[in-house]
């Protein structure tokens, strides 16, 4: 049996056979047998992940940022970020949040102005149950000459500044953040499900 919680919305939006709990929490979490993922009730974004095996908790701060694009001969396009200045934080305050907890998976979906943000934990004893999946569906049609990015800050000690990305379940690619490279070379893009660098 699954349960659904909806935050920051009117109960008049929902009718039918499903029991839906409507609250305005300070924080909430989803979990499986291996992990617990905690989030801010105010923004809906991930704040920490705890491994149940060793009870190690990692602090995480997710945010969305927006860049303006350079209006020059070379322009931003798929796989290429050419910014016109400093990053701007995207303000988030009490978005619509749906939390689903069930026997196969648990997830929360956050509806932001330009992003449908989903964090999912598979209820599986295998390796797929030991990771946090994050999916973003981005719509910036209402924006002119803007780039949107998800920023991840953690307390994980990463001396070599390495990160790994999944290539559509086929391969895992290793990337390094390097100060000598321009901004666009340190970004990882996914366009129509096709990852690139």
């Amino acid at each position: 049996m699954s349960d659904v919680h909806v935050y920051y919305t009117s109960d008049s939006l929902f009718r039918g056979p499903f029991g839906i709990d409507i609250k305005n929490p300070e924080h909430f979490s989803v979990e499986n047998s291996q992990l617990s993922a905690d989030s801010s009730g105010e923004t809906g974004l991930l704040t920490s992940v705890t491994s149940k095996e060793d009870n190690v908790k990692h602090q995480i701060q997710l945010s969305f940022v927006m860049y303006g694009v350079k209006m020059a001969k070379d322009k931003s396009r798929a796989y290429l970020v050419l910014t016109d200045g400093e990053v701007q934080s995207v303000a988030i305050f009490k978005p619509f949040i749906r939390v689903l907890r069930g026997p196969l998976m648990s997830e929360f979906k956050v509806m932001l102005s330009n992003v449908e943000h989903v964090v999912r934990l598979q209820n599986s004893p295998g390796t797929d149950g030991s990771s946090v999946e994050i999916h973003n569906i981005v719509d910036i049609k209402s924006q002119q000459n803007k780039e949107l990015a998800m920023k991840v800050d953690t307390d994980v000690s990463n001396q070599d500044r390495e990160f790994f990305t999944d290539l559509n379940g086929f391969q895992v690619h290793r990337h390094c953040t390097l100060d000598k490279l321009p901004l666009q070379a340190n970004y990882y893009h996914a366009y129509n499900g096709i990852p690139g660098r």
Side-chain angles (χ1 to χ4, degrees):
M1 182 70 170
S2 300
D3 67 325
V4 178
H5 300 266
V6 178
Y7 304 143
Y8 301 115
T9 189
S10 166
D11 58 359
S12 63
L13 293 174
F14 297 95
R15 295 183 177 88
F18 300 104
I20 297 177
D21 185 19
I22 298 173
K23 299 178 181 176
N24 297 330
E26 286 185 28
H27 58 85
F28 60 92
S29 64
V30 292
E31 60 184 70
N32 62 17
S33 61
Q34 301 182 57
L35 299 172
S36 174
D38 299 311
S39 294
S40 162
E42 189 170 299
T43 65
L45 301 180
L46 205 58
T47 58
S48 68
V49 174
T50 303
S51 167
K52 292 185 177 180
E53 181 180 6
D54 51 14
N55 205 32
V56 172
K57 183 175 188 175
H58 288 289
Q59 299 299 320
I60 298 172
Q61 184 175 356
L62 281 185
S63 59
F64 287 91
V65 295
M66 195 167 279
Y67 295 91
V69 299
K70 196 179 286 185
M71 301 304 288
K73 182 180 174 186
D74 292 328
K75 293 184 171 52
S76 279
R77 56 190 179 274
Y79 309 116
L80 183 60
V81 177
L82 296 172
T83 66
D84 66 355
E86 293 298 313
V87 64
Q88 303 288 318
S89 294
V90 175
I92 300 170
F93 183 70
K94 296 185 178 179
F96 173 88
I97 302 167
R98 185 200 67 202
V99 180
L100 171 67
R101 296 180 184 95
L104 300 178
M105 62 134 187
S106 295
E107 72 173 24
F108 57 89
K109 180 183 288 189
V110 183
M111 302 301 291
L112 306 172
S113 57
N114 298 107
V115 183
E116 180 180 305
H117 175 70
V118 179
V119 174
R120 180 176 299 134
L121 296 178
Q122 301 289 345
N123 292 333
S124 166
T127 55
D128 56 340
S130 64
S131 62
V132 178
E133 295 178 36
I134 298 177
H135 302 271
N136 293 312
I137 300 174
V138 177
D139 180 0
I140 54 172
K141 289 191 299 261
S142 63
Q143 303 292 323
Q144 292 292 320
N145 299 316
K146 298 288 185 185
E147 297 279 0
L148 184 72
M150 184 179 73
K151 184 178 177 185
V152 182
D153 290 311
T154 74
D155 64 356
V156 174
S157 178
N158 187 359
Q159 301 285 336
D160 297 327
R161 301 169 75 191
E162 291 181 321
F163 64 101
F164 296 84
T165 53
D166 178 15
L167 182 60
N168 295 332
F170 178 64
Q171 295 172 319
V172 175
H173 282 199
R174 175 184 171 271
H175 304 276
C176 281
T177 302
L178 301 171
D179 291 330
K180 66 181 182 181
L181 296 177
L183 175 75
Q184 63 268 23
N186 285 315
Y187 263 70
Y188 177 79
H189 298 262
Y191 181 71
N192 289 340
I194 304 169
R197 177 92 195 241

